[in-house]
Amino acid sequence: MTAGDSGAVLKRERVRDHILQLIESLRPGDAIPSERTLCADLSVSRPTLRAAVDELVAAGLLVREHGRGMFVAPEKITQELVSDSHGMTLPQASGTWSSRLLEFTTIAAGARVGRKLSLSPAADIVYAARLRLVDGAPMAIEHLHIRADLVPALTAQELESGDLYEHLRERHRVQVRDAVQTIEPTVVSQAEGRLLEVPHLSPALLFERLTNDTEGRPVEYVHSVYRGDRYRIVSRLTLDASHTQGTPPETGFIPGMPPGTVAQWEAAPTTPR
Amino acid sequence: MTAGDSGAVLKRERVRDHILQLIESLRPGDAIPSERTLCADLSVSRPTLRAAVDELVAAGLLVREHGRGMFVAPEKITQELVSDSHGMTLPQASGTWSSRLLEFTTIAAGARVGRKLSLSPAADIVYAARLRLVDGAPMAIEHLHIRADLVPALTAQELESGDLYEHLRERHRVQVRDAVQTIEPTVVSQAEGRLLEVPHLSPALLFERLTNDTEGRPVEYVHSVYRGDRYRIVSRLTLDASHTQGTPPETGFIPGMPPGTVAQWEAAPTTPR
DNA sequence: GGATGAAGGTGGCATAGACCAATAGAGGCG
DNA sequence: CGCCTCTATTGGTCTATGCCACCTTCATCC
């Protein structure tokens, strides 16, 4: 009995559902049987079982601990949305942020970054990689690329403490004004997973931000990866009159965010456990 | 030479980097050597090579086509941020949206949904699952839960065409006013992958939205999964005076989104190919 | 000439087995 | 008694191999 034995009922799925059932009968933190035990119970090979477990780990339902075993994940993040009848209190950003500098050099921009910053590929930029932590726990990896000629005296100290934008304004006479930011989902690589202390291929948010100063010059290009299990974006949407009373376009409307919507953002690290 | 031969340099990583290099020398759509060929070239087993490729597929750099081969992904979504020096034109939402109704029933709310909508678990809700398409291509799966007593005459037709909020207002006398929405990264399940036509475990965005009407009553609870390779969130951030001149808080600031930031959203499906 | 179908290549799924690395616990030694 | 080491267990990685399903191609047949 191998892969494609008619029916499209993958062995992985059967195994996954079995473990899922197992999880539901347990509480967060409880241990589940070892890989080898489950293999025997379900009559599947270990790679197959691991493939099934991989899904559950990626989905955040299970955590693995090398040498110890597998455990039901402490919380399901999708169960956290608060909505207390009237006011809708947001779990406002909590915890104290800190940074650990991973790298800090001045290098040539290169083609890709140069294009984004409207610079020659040979122009110097300050490149810094920071691990951002909340209450000591890793939350994000930030890759900053800043025009070197604008901040010739930028120090490592300034990247490790305080608000970078404030340092830019106070010490370097660079006043940031606006930015364009894109957000998309991604998964963490092995190296990123190690830094963020999450399993390989865990969901994450990828931010790309291009910041301009008051003169319209591109100042920095930031590329960040935020942990998906601890970070979420919360927005309050208000449907304005032009939409609720006007003629909404049949085509081109956006289900996720209705047109004419005014949004207020909060980006909040969610508290663990 | 097996797994942990000192050095922590995983074979997978070496293979991945090799393929990455290969990708960079090619253009989108180009084919890369077959799995078996690469195995021979790199002297690794096929499962190992597949594990490396899995990462690249999950990251959206490579696409696999059963029976045909592996190809460089049509676009690298991380290369699409536009920034034309002055105005910053956004690749505004394009394409025409349509819906395919997957399910449409009236059922009891249950504990979880009931809690979100401030209803008794036994109260009836209209549940609808929709596949949202852009120019015919799957973009998202939406699970809607609407208070049944507010929309007793909701039809399948209304869920398949036009703006739902408009139908609610015009036909059902329900005027939506605001909503709280959370966005977090996730990965698609096997079933979701099939519907969205993306590989299993691909990155995706999970939206949860709770919508209220003008009287403050919760109307609908929506749970949606958007393709990560075709959908992204674009925001324009403006740093206001209170931040650029005031005293930014040392702790509690949010790197992804500076405090005092005014954001204007666009949620844009990215064009394929 | 156009449809048919067999062959070979490709990715997809699964197996069995091996060794490494991290952990926890049992046992021995000081 | 306390510390250490040794061992069993668990997850982590990799190999080698097989079969299946899908796609393309090309030779064949009508």
Side-chain angles (χ1 to χ4, degrees), chain A residues 111-124:
Chain A
R112 191 172 126 271
V113 175
R115 182 155 23 90
K116 290 187 185 295
L117 288 174
S118 305
L119 290 177
S120 147
D124 276 349

Side-chain angles (χ1 to χ4, degrees), chain A residues 109-187:
Chain A
R112 191 172 126 271
V113 175
R115 182 155 23 90
K116 290 187 185 295
L117 288 174
S118 305
L119 290 177
S120 147
D124 276 349
I125 58 160
V126 174
Y127 167 71
R130 304 196 287 182
L131 184 66
R132 311 298 318 253
L133 308 107
V134 175
D135 294 334
M139 179 62 75
I141 303 170
E142 258 184 16
H143 302 270
L144 297 113
H145 306 79
I146 311 177
R147 270 182 60 170
D149 57 342
L150 292 181
V151 290
L154 194 65
T155 65
Q157 174 61 31
E158 289 175 298
L159 288 166
E160 286 211 307
S161 67
D163 183 349
L164 176 58
Y165 291 163
E166 185 185 10
H167 293 316
L168 289 181
R169 188 176 69 250
E170 299 295 334
R171 283 226 323 130
H172 305 277
R173 301 279 164 234
V174 175
Q175 171 102 10
V176 299
R177 187 189 56 187
D178 56 29
V180 172
Q181 179 168 277
T182 65
I183 307 171
E184 36 187 282
T186 183
V187 291

Side-chain angles (χ1 to χ4, degrees), chain A residues 12-13 16 50-60, chain B residues 190 200-201:
Chain A
R12 275 216 305 264
E13 300 192 353
R16 172 171 49 74
R50 281 183 62 80
V53 170
D54 280 344
E55 299 182 33
L56 299 171
V57 170
Chain B
Q190 202 122 18
H200 181 215
L201 292 185

Side-chain angles (χ1 to χ4, degrees), chain A residues 2 25 40 48 64 72 79 110 112 116 146 189 207-208 226 256:
Chain A
T2 51
S25 70
T48 301
R64 287 200 261 229
V72 178
Q79 292 181 352
R112 191 172 126 271
K116 290 187 185 295
I146 311 177
S189 69
F207 287 72
E208 274 202 355
Y226 279 71

Side-chain angles (χ1 to χ4, degrees), chain A residues 57-113:
Chain A
V57 170
L61 296 172
L62 227 49
V63 293
R64 287 200 261 229
E65 294 188 32
H66 194 164
R68 293 190 6 100
M70 302 186 293
F71 307 86
V72 178
E75 66 178 10
K76 283 184 64 175
I77 55 174
T78 57
Q79 292 181 352
E80 276 189 358
L81 178 58
V82 297
S83 65
D84 60 350
S85 55
H86 52 295
M88 282 182 258
T89 57
L90 296 173
Q92 177 60 309
S94 58
T96 54
W97 289 74
S98 57
S99 300
R100 210 179 78 208
L101 207 52
L102 302 174
E103 205 172 338
F104 181 41
T105 56
T106 300
I107 53 173
R112 191 172 126 271
V113 175

